[in-house]
Amino acid sequence: MLAGPERDAGLSDLSSRIGIDIDADLLAVALTHRSYAYEHGGRHNERLEFLGDSILGQAVTVKLFREYPDLDEGELAKRRASLVSSVALAEIARAIKLGEHLRLGRGEEMTGGRDKSSILADTVEAIIGAVYIGAGPESATALVLRLVEPLMADAERFGAAMDPKTSLQELVAARDLGAPAYRVSGTGPDHNKTFTAEVVVADELIATGVGTSKKQAEMAAALEAWTVLQSRK
């Protein structure tokens, strides 16, 4: 973890990449995973993430409502889901090299936390929350729209997000890779289980997904696997 001038330079570089000058201390909190805060003390980013999630959803909803006046609410909801999903947010995070700046505890660092989609997605939301607090609602909305604009231009993404398992199956069939296989495990008590699904294609683990049900986890994993394979064109 960088400190002092090196840290400030790194945060300044990240601010430049997202196009908004954010207070360094506030941005540092947005980048702090709870695992780091538990080991070192101080605040973590989950409150900012909570705020950013709401701002993200509202900004994307209004954008879609205005951009697609002929779509009904069901289609709009599906498109919104594809743009605010963990897969989409993690893709945004990787594009701005967010993983380089995360503050992680030792356990997360050792298990590849800098490239975990869930951590990256949560941190994007936390940064949106930080921009709202530090620069105001208009700047936060502008940031959201700037980040999701490239994704909105990708028509194939919407189709995959609406039925990710079918889209993945069609993609692997077109490339003669055989059928995707899913491995699902669950943790936690029966009333509050978390499921993790892995997608294997041609004997390669392509992606994982997390959800509160087996179906949700499989769909998340399928969408991420589709995104990974699409990038290998």
Side-chain angles (χ1 to χ4, degrees):
M1 178 62 199
L2 298 177
E6 288 180 282
R7 187 203 76 162
D8 292 341
L11 296 185
S12 177
D13 181 50
L14 178 59
S15 292
S16 297
R17 263 184 257 134
I18 63 177
I20 292 179
D21 186 21
I22 312 174
D23 174 78
D25 290 335
L26 192 57
L27 180 55
V29 174
L31 295 168
T32 302
H33 188 257
R34 64 176 177 270
S35 62
Y36 183 93
Y38 291 164
E39 290 181 10
H40 300 275
R43 293 183 291 166
H44 55 70
N45 64 8
E46 291 183 2
R47 281 175 55 85
L48 288 174
E49 174 200 336
F50 171 79
L51 177 61
D53 176 67
S54 295
I55 297 159
L56 170 70
Q58 181 184 43
V60 169
T61 298
V62 172
K63 175 69 172 177
L64 289 171
F65 182 86
R66 291 174 173 167
E67 194 86 2
Y68 301 100
D70 297 327
L71 293 183
D72 63 27
E73 66 275 18
E75 291 299 314
L76 290 172
K78 290 176 182 178
R79 294 194 177 215
R80 177 179 60 193
S82 75
L83 292 171
V84 304
S85 70
S86 293
V87 173
L89 295 179
E91 186 175 337
I92 289 169
R94 293 183 181 107
I96 61 175
K97 301 180 182 178
L98 187 57
E100 298 175 3
H101 305 279
L102 297 177
R103 305 172 82 187
L104 301 173
R106 286 171 50 187
E108 287 293 351
E109 191 76 72
M110 293 174 63
T111 56
R114 291 189 182 278
D115 196 48
K116 282 186 181 177
S117 292
S118 58
I119 292 178
L120 290 170
D122 291 346
T123 307
V124 170
E125 292 179 336
I127 288 175
I128 294 168
V131 170
Y132 183 94
I133 295 297
E138 291 184 3
S139 292
T141 297
L143 172 62
V144 170
L145 298 181
R146 188 161 60 253
L147 293 176
V148 303
E149 191 68 39
L151 306 185
M152 287 190 68
D154 183 359
E156 290 183 339
R157 173 183 302 278
F158 290 130
M162 292 174 192
D163 191 354
K165 294 185 74 172
T166 299
S167 295
L168 176 62
Q169 187 169 336
E170 291 173 349
L171 179 60
V172 298
R175 298 186 182 184
D176 198 24
L177 296 174
Y182 295 85
R183 301 190 299 235
V184 183
S185 59
T187 58
D190 289 341
H191 68 280
N192 189 28
K193 271 190 178 297
T194 297
F195 293 90
T196 300
E198 298 179 332
V199 182
V200 177
V201 176
D203 297 323
E204 179 187 358
L205 176 60
I206 301 295
T208 61
V210 178
T212 56
S213 68
K214 291 181 180 179
K215 180 179 179 181
Q216 188 182 78
E218 287 183 349
M219 290 179 67
L223 182 55
E224 180 151 358
W226 180 90
T227 302
V228 169
L229 292 176
Q230 277 290 100
S231 70
R232 297 180 181 178
K233 289 179 180 179

